[in-house]
Amino acid sequence: MRELVAMVQETGRYPSRTSTNPAEWTLASWLERRRHDAAAGTLAPALREGLDVLPDWQRLPRPVVDEARWQDRLTALKAYLAAGNDWPLHKSFVTGAEHGLGVWLHSQRQKAHRGELDPAKTRALDEAVPGWRAGRQRGRKPGKSNQPDQRPETARPVAQS
């Protein structure tokens, strides 16, 4: 623990599991186990007190936070659509929750198109919000007739030959 505290205070950052330095990788693994213990409520009080000198030491690693955020946005999109809204737009003239969800959904569509979207996320989207790949259809809003306005034709005289 002393090595971890010294490294964070010296460098201003936490150790990385992707480091090429074996000592840093070991510290990162140790900290990850302590974070897990703290989340499970099994971390020894002495270790907790020692680690509490470090700011945000319990903060989850980025991939875990990113996955939780992705799941939160999927849940929010499902609720948004269940409330009777059409697919959210990502254009700049849209604001608020619709814009945030629209940008997120647009990026998922782009990743899927490029083959970069994780297959598990693709399945989750397919199950939660079928039709997510197509989204809004261009043209008239749903429920409107796709036929042009029907106006009575004015009578024209037919030319006789």
Side-chain angles (χ1 to χ4, degrees), residues 10 42 55 61 81 110 115 123 152:
E10 209 173 280
T42 59
L81 294 171
Q110 294 300 309
R123 283 190 301 278

Side-chain angles (χ1 to χ4, degrees), residues 70-161:
W70 192 92
Q71 292 297 332
D72 288 346
R73 288 193 177 144
L74 177 61
T75 301
L77 176 62
K78 189 174 178 181
Y80 180 84
L81 294 171
N85 297 305
D86 199 355
W87 295 101
L89 295 173
H90 68 281
K91 303 293 184 186
S92 61
F93 58 82
V94 178
T95 58
E98 181 180 7
H99 178 71
L101 289 173
V103 169
W104 178 80
L105 182 58
H106 179 71
S107 71
Q108 303 312 301
R109 288 175 179 146
Q110 294 300 309
K111 287 177 184 177
H113 180 72
R114 293 188 307 262
E116 297 172 359
L117 187 61
D118 184 298
K121 290 181 177 178
T122 301
R123 283 190 301 278
L125 281 161
D126 287 340
E127 291 170 10
V129 287
W132 67 274
R133 293 174 201 244
R136 289 182 189 230
Q137 300 302 310
R138 294 179 187 228
R140 294 178 183 258
K141 291 186 177 186
K144 300 274 184 178
S145 169
N146 286 329
Q147 301 297 320
D149 292 340
Q150 299 295 324
R151 294 185 184 162
E153 301 238 355
T154 50
R156 292 187 192 161
V158 177
Q160 299 286 332
S161 17

